[in-house]
Amino acid sequence: MDRRERSVYLTFDDGPIPESTPFILDTLRHYGIKAAFFMVGDNVRKYPELFEQIKADGHLMGNHTHNHISGFRHSIKEYMYNVEKANAYIGSHFFRPPHGWMRLPQYAWLSRKYKVVMWDVVTRDYSKWMTAEDIVNNVKNYVRNGSIITFHDSLKAIDKLRTALPQSIEWLRDQGYEFRTFQP
């Protein structure tokens, strides 16, 4: 994003799930921040009330495939089918590939219909080797003007997010960053 503006874009991948989405939404509401949620279609199917709450809170919604599948392990046809299956639930023109991986032909097809959104700061909040402090340090060490920061709305991340998300937000605010979302 624009490196001249002191702003960041918070994003959350993989949800929604009842174990983490409510905490994330409450935290964002507390700080008055809008974010982008790149959601797995099957999770939206299973937890439509969480999807509706994300929408009602005014967050941007994006597609993260229906089953969190890898672009490298599936044909263009299979991958596109999975993305479109998710989009039947999500209804977004924003897309983020799971793990940030897809093949060039998949990107060529997807970019005709979707704005593909990647990131430049991945917090690694899903790693069993990372602590909440490590996650906050990843934000501190790698964020810059216009950064797209990726957290995870997942079981692997939630225990660390309870500490790391508020601390990261407060540190970013103290550094003068404005929180933005992508323009539709």
Side-chain angles (χ1 to χ4, degrees), residues 2-4 12 52 60 64-65 74-75 86 93 95 113 115 120 126 128 137-138 163 169 172 174-175:
D2 192 341
R3 297 279 183 225
R4 295 169 293 167
F12 295 88
E52 291 301 326
L60 186 135
H64 201 49
T65 74
H74 296 85
S75 69
H93 67 276
F95 177 76
K113 180 176 179 179
K115 180 173 176 87
D120 67 310
Y126 52 81
K128 66 182 178 181
N137 285 333
N138 280 343
T163 301
I169 289 170
L172 289 162
D174 290 347
Q175 301 304 306

Side-chain angles (χ1 to χ4, degrees), residues 145-165:
N145 290 352
S147 279
I148 299 171
I149 304 168
T150 298
F151 291 97
H152 290 80
D153 183 358
S154 72
L155 291 173
K156 291 179 181 178
I158 188 56
D159 289 339
K160 293 168 269 190
L161 271 187
R162 291 187 193 287
T163 301
L165 182 58

Side-chain angles (χ1 to χ4, degrees), residues 50-105:
L50 291 174
F51 172 77
E52 291 301 326
Q53 188 60 58
I54 291 167
K55 189 181 346 181
D57 283 6
H59 298 290
L60 186 135
M61 296 173 295
N63 186 328
H64 201 49
T65 74
H66 191 71
N67 302 105
H68 202 266
I69 65 171
S70 168
F72 287 146
R73 294 189 182 142
H74 296 85
S75 69
I76 295 171
K77 184 177 178 181
E78 291 169 321
Y79 198 69
M80 293 307 299
Y81 173 78
N82 201 269
V83 170
E84 290 304 318
K85 186 174 180 181
N87 217 43
Y89 293 99
I90 300 166
S92 175
H93 67 276
F94 289 97
F95 177 76
R96 175 175 283 166
H99 313 290
W101 303 331
M102 66 180 140
R103 290 182 278 152
L104 189 55

Side-chain angles (χ1 to χ4, degrees), residues 124-132 134-135 138 156 160:
R124 300 200 180 285
D125 53 359
Y126 52 81
S127 172
K128 66 182 178 181
W129 307 111
M130 302 292 281
T131 66
D134 294 332
I135 293 159
N138 280 343
K156 291 179 181 178
K160 293 168 269 190

